Amino acid sequence: MSSENLPQTPEQQGRKPRVAVVFGGRSSEHAISVVTAGAVLRSIDRSKYEVLPIGITTDGRWALTADEPSRMAIADRKLPNVDQLAESEEGAVVLSVDPANREVVYTEPGAVPKALGEVDVVFPVLHGPYGEDGTLQGLLELAGVPYVGSGVLASAVGQDKDYMKRVFTSFGLNVGPYVTIRPREWADPDAARGKILDFAAEHGWPLFIKPARAGSSIGITKVDDASALDAAVAEAQRHDPKIIVEALLRGREIECGVLELQDGPRASAPAEIPPVSSHDFYDFEAKYIDSASGIVPAPLTPEQTAEVQRLAIEAFEAASCEGLVRADFFLTEDGTFVINEINTMPGFTPISMYPRMWQESGVEYPELVDLLIQAALRRSTGLR
């Protein structure tokens, strides 16, 4: 593409950069994405940026939504959704896939399409499939619109726990014992179940049965014996036909944030997720409904802190991540850090660990949002 066909910068057009905050989506993490968007919208510096909130409904419609963060919070244990915020039940937001045209158009049946102006950067706060997994990132690459966070490959790897662990292993990072059951393996249910039981015989109970491509601890069941296995598999498959089975790792849960700055990725102060007495493990309700909180900074030795920070950056680099990552580890009883997973778009709600770790590291929430937007504006789309 010749330079004369490239979109003008906001500065060339004499306006502030326009940030589209895209949230909601088709995954089971829809509500948490809405909560995250509310926090981001509250914190974007409106003196520096114009903001366009775009919600994606659970059936995939891109909706123009109200810029009202107060309506995007969990209230009385009720989760918000995009349908509550959409300005119309039928109107749709359309993003051009022509890199020379970043204009967003709003359409409603029987009405003349309305131009909403150009978008300079997208802040996608979608979690899970159809948003965090490289699908949205691919669309934005086609459209030539810069965006916050990792690209197509890293987003896909970061969403799929099976391939994530394969990548980490290839780079020499320690991962815990696991086995993956793919959808086609259930053509012979006895063999698939037997594969899990053989894994249990080798590594012991309990096991954790998880959707391979979901987050926010949704669909995860801790299974203490074979009698609960079928129900746990069915629960995981409600969210993903591909499941992953993990052995219990005895140790402390440690998290560390990574933020990409101009001179490269930097690790935050780590956090520890203590055992939650009211929950069997750190599940969805413990995280978001009952607001179980981690310890920041984690009570580690200076050597342990430096080690987990080094490993978090190694994981970031191994998966070719950009922008931000939260890396989750177990500090086992023998003093070894084992990486559990990374999140390429970690929870970003007011109680989420990623912003809390960076606050402890001297970066307040509004500054964190600004750093991520600025990094996205500096980065080109396409091969890089």
Side-chain angles (χ1 to χ4, degrees), residues 12 18 26 85 88 204 206 267 287 313 336 361-362 369 380:
Q12 289 170 328
R18 183 173 291 115
R26 294 163 57 189
L85 301 162
S88 164
K287 285 182 179 179
I313 292 174
T336 301
S361 306
V369 169
S380 64

Side-chain angles (χ1 to χ4, degrees), residues 217-290:
S217 297
I218 289 174
I220 299 177
T221 306
K222 182 182 177 184
V223 177
D224 292 313
D225 56 52
S227 66
L229 185 58
D230 291 345
V233 167
E235 172 60 18
Q237 289 180 323
R238 284 201 315 115
H239 305 279
D240 188 348
K242 178 180 177 181
I243 69 168
I244 191 165
V245 181
E246 295 177 350
L248 173 68
L249 286 177
R250 301 190 184 280
R252 299 161 61 188
E253 291 189 50
I254 306 295
E255 299 183 349
C256 188
V258 179
L259 177 64
E260 187 178 24
L261 301 175
Q262 283 186 278
D263 59 352
R266 177 179 143 203
S268 71
E272 179 168 5
I273 308 300
V276 184
S277 59
S278 58
H279 295 264
D280 206 20
F281 62 99
Y282 194 45
D283 62 6
F284 179 87
E285 289 213 353
K287 285 182 179 179
Y288 299 110
I289 304 299
D290 295 333

Side-chain angles (χ1 to χ4, degrees), residues 189-381:
D190 290 338
R193 195 171 189 274
K195 186 175 176 180
I196 299 174
L197 292 174
D198 288 345
F199 181 79
E202 181 179 358
H203 298 287
W205 301 92
L207 301 177
F208 289 89
I209 313 297
K210 301 181 177 183
R213 294 163 292 193
S216 295
S217 297
I218 289 174
I220 299 177
T221 306
K222 182 182 177 184
V223 177
D224 292 313
D225 56 52
S227 66
L229 185 58
D230 291 345
V233 167
E235 172 60 18
Q237 289 180 323
R238 284 201 315 115
H239 305 279
D240 188 348
K242 178 180 177 181
I243 69 168
I244 191 165
V245 181
E246 295 177 350
L248 173 68
L249 286 177
R250 301 190 184 280
R252 299 161 61 188
E253 291 189 50
I254 306 295
E255 299 183 349
C256 188
V258 179
L259 177 64
E260 187 178 24
L261 301 175
Q262 283 186 278
D263 59 352
R266 177 179 143 203
S268 71
E272 179 168 5
I273 308 300
V276 184
S277 59
S278 58
H279 295 264
D280 206 20
F281 62 99
Y282 194 45
D283 62 6
F284 179 87
E285 289 213 353
K287 285 182 179 179
Y288 299 110
I289 304 299
D290 295 333
S291 301
S293 58
I295 302 168
V296 187
L300 300 171
T301 67
E303 293 77 18
Q304 289 172 327
T305 295
E307 176 68 358
V308 77
Q309 290 174 326
R310 181 186 69 81
L311 291 171
I313 292 174
E314 279 196 18
F316 183 94
E317 299 282 31
S320 298
C321 295
E322 296 169 291
L324 72 165
V325 149
R326 193 194 72 232
D328 300 347
F329 297 86
F330 289 101
L331 176 57
T332 61
E333 293 173 341
D334 67 0
T336 301
F337 281 104
V338 176
I339 188 162
N340 184 38
E341 64 179 24
I342 58 170
N343 281 264
T344 55
M345 184 50 68
F348 223 88
T349 69
I351 63 169
S352 295
M353 298 310 300
Y354 185 84
R356 287 185 59 201
M357 288 187 288
W358 279 108
Q359 183 179 39
E360 177 66 27
S361 306
V363 182
E364 296 293 332
Y365 195 106
E367 183 185 0
L368 186 58
V369 169
D370 187 65
L371 286 169
L372 290 167
I373 294 172
Q374 289 296 322
L377 286 168
R378 287 194 301 270
R379 193 166 58 234
S380 64
T381 55

Side-chain angles (χ1 to χ4, degrees), residues 94-103 138-145:
V94 179
L95 175 67
S96 170
V97 292
D98 177 2
N101 177 17
R102 294 178 179 172
E103 187 153 86
L139 172 64
L140 297 174
E141 293 286 350
L142 288 173
V145 179

Side-chain angles (χ1 to χ4, degrees), residues 156-176:
V157 168
Q159 188 63 42
D160 190 314
K161 294 178 177 63
D162 176 20
Y163 284 94
M164 182 197 309
K165 291 176 187 291
R166 292 171 185 263
V167 168
F168 290 155
T169 300
S170 72
F171 277 81
L173 293 162
N174 293 321
V175 303

